[in-house]
Amino acid sequence: MARVFNFSAGPAMLPEPVLRQAQEEMLDWRGSGMCVAEMSHRGKEFMAIAAQAEADLRELLGIPDNYKVLFLQGGASSQFAMVPMNLLRGTEGADYLNTGSWSKKAIAEARRYGGVNVAATTEDGRFTRAPAQSELNLSLDAAYVHYTPNETIEGVEFPYVLETSGKPLVADMSSTLLSRPIEVSRFGLIYAGAQKNIGPAGLTIVIVREDLIGQPLNGTPTMYDYKTHADNDSMYNTPPTYAWYLSGLVFQWLKDLGGLPSMAVINERKAQALYAAIDASGFYKNPVEPKSRSWMNVPFTLASPELDETFLKEAKAAGLTTLKGHRSVGGMRASIYNAMPEAGVEALISFMREFERTRG
Ligand code: PMP
């Protein structure tokens, strides 16, 4: 068996101990005689798995009691609609920050339901930095403020949490949730597709303050109303049971490692090593302003784009896969989420040095 270091932006690597445990439990989950994927979501075995996963996630993030944790489907992309449908609450509109490809999509969707005030944009500079708090033009009557703390495609991460003068802060944390500790009470709502730091695709996590639930726009589909899921422990309909279970194993793995403070130390070390290697070379470049550089997604270009194909081919042969950058940015992108071992980043750095030495 030869497992590779997979630098995909998502679905991404899962921790090997998690995959091994899932393998062990595949045919018979703890004497139940069943795979978790075969269980009724209303049976006592799955209910216990689901409750444990939620408890562990609450513990990892220190989620206060007045927040609901929802285990949904539809991806972060569905949240682009669910957020305005549920949080506009009779107002004219909301504030959005335009800091990259994903916030742009969130803005386009929100415009279908209400007004959007773009409180800051970094599109002029091709999304290579996070705007400072002092640059934000927040409106007085916004229902909420939405931003994308980590832009997965551009590799831009906010080095601070926005101040919103009491307005609910909504964050698309798809590519950063669980990478470090956060103070949940500073947010009204956090959402994330699972397929990066949390677990397999198919599960979407929403953490929402209770007072924001229950005033959806007229015509909101039942499945798009947070209240439907909050009132039914995310079991109004059949939830993504296997993804929920695997995510629960990831939460236990994180707890065994010492939780998010320990993860943050490792993640910062991995990112710094890779950026240092890029900056020290005359051959690779990362366009993002240093203080806004993402710990999770590291885009970089080669001195000549003509070498891209060779780089990808030789990297793959060396067991380093899925390094091709997003088509909108070009070059390479190394996504180094929680489950990417430090050895994977070291292997990539060595490969890059050798490639530069022989081709540069
Ligand atoms: N937001 C961000 C920041 C993302 O990285 C992604 C997926 N790469 C999405 C939203 C869309 O997520 P999904 O595919 O789960 O709808």
Side-chain angles (χ1 to χ4, degrees):
M1 186 191 69
R3 279 183 57 79
V4 296
F5 293 119
N6 172 10
F7 292 89
S8 168
M13 286 184 84
L14 286 163
E16 197 169 307
V18 164
L19 295 176
R20 286 191 188 284
Q21 189 176 344
Q23 182 181 39
E24 253 168 52
E25 296 177 340
M26 179 64 77
L27 294 181
D28 176 11
W29 184 81
R30 303 185 197 175
S32 65
M34 276 184 248
C35 174
V36 175
E38 299 172 307
M39 290 176 181
S40 161
H41 57 297
R42 305 198 191 279
K44 76 171 183 340
E45 287 98 347
F46 185 76
M47 298 280 273
I49 291 169
Q52 187 64 51
E54 180 177 338
D56 288 340
L57 182 62
R58 282 184 176 276
E59 184 182 328
L60 282 166
L61 284 166
I63 301 174
D65 289 344
N66 62 327
Y67 284 73
K68 293 281 188 193
V69 179
L70 310 178
F71 292 79
L72 307 181
Q73 305 188 48
S77 301
S78 292
Q79 295 310 310
F80 294 165
M82 273 178 96
V83 165
M85 285 175 135
N86 287 271
L87 265 54
L88 282 173
R89 295 172 295 152
T91 63
E92 290 295 310
D95 286 348
Y96 276 71
L97 271 57
N98 183 31
T99 56
S101 307
W102 289 111
S103 48
K104 227 174 147 64
K105 286 205 164 144
I107 289 169
E109 191 68 10
R111 287 209 162 107
R112 296 162 55 97
Y113 304 100
V116 167
N117 168 48
V118 176
T121 178
T122 52
E123 194 158 7
D124 280 359
R126 306 191 63 176
F127 299 132
T128 50
R129 65 182 191 91
Q133 175 77 41
S134 58
E135 290 174 64
L136 310 185
N137 265 316
L138 300 177
S139 46
L140 290 174
D141 50 359
Y144 59 88
V145 182
H146 178 283
Y147 81 125
T148 311
N150 186 72
E151 288 281 2
T152 320
I153 292 176
E154 289 79 7
V156 170
E157 184 150 18
F158 279 74
Y160 69 99
V161 174
L162 265 55
E163 273 302 334
T164 59
S165 316
K167 297 267 162 40
L169 179 59
V170 178
D172 173 2
M173 291 206 186
S174 291
S175 46
T176 182
L177 191 66
L178 298 182
S179 69
R180 71 193 76 188
I182 50 167
E183 209 182 321
V184 172
S185 61
R186 297 193 55 183
F187 299 87
L189 188 149
I190 293 167
Y191 63 92
Q195 63 272 19
K196 299 157 197 304
N197 266 336
I198 299 169
L203 173 70
T204 311
I205 300 280
V206 174
I207 302 166
V208 52
R209 216 173 61 210
E210 278 168 359
D211 61 285
L212 299 174
I213 300 174
Q215 299 167 68
L217 290 182
N218 281 337
T220 296
T222 308
M223 283 292 290
Y224 267 49
D225 183 348
Y226 290 128
K227 191 165 170 25
T228 303
H229 304 289
D231 286 352
N232 291 282
D233 295 328
S234 306
M235 303 236 187
Y236 170 76
N237 73 325
T238 316
T241 50
Y242 200 75
W244 192 331
Y245 153 74
L246 273 187
S247 300
L249 297 185
V250 172
F251 302 154
Q252 278 166 27
W253 172 76
L254 280 169
K255 280 174 58 176
D256 291 345
L257 266 170
L260 303 188
S262 307
M263 205 66 244
V265 171
I266 298 170
N267 284 332
E268 182 170 23
R269 202 156 59 209
K270 285 192 296 189
Q272 295 317 340
L274 186 47
Y275 287 116
I278 291 169
D279 290 345
S281 87
F283 185 76
Y284 303 104
K285 267 204 179 64
N286 168 279
V288 180
E289 145 193 285
K291 71 173 191 296
S292 307
R293 282 174 166 178
S294 168
W295 288 3
M296 296 283 105
N297 311 98
V298 183
F300 60 92
T301 51
L302 277 51
S304 157
E306 272 123 58
L307 287 170
D308 284 2
E309 281 313 310
T310 317
F311 182 93
L312 288 166
K313 201 166 133 242
E314 293 183 5
K316 189 165 180 208
L320 310 167
T321 70
T322 338
L323 281 159
K324 195 175 168 60
H326 192 272
R327 59 191 177 280
S328 64
V329 177
M332 306 297 148
R333 173 177 47 168
S335 294
I336 49 174
Y337 300 118
N338 288 350
M340 171 61 66
E342 292 195 88
V345 176
E346 283 156 19
L348 174 62
I349 292 170
S350 303
F351 172 82
M352 287 167 69
R353 287 209 179 110
E354 186 57 18
F355 190 86
E356 179 179 3
R357 196 180 64 77
T358 53
R359 313 284 173 137

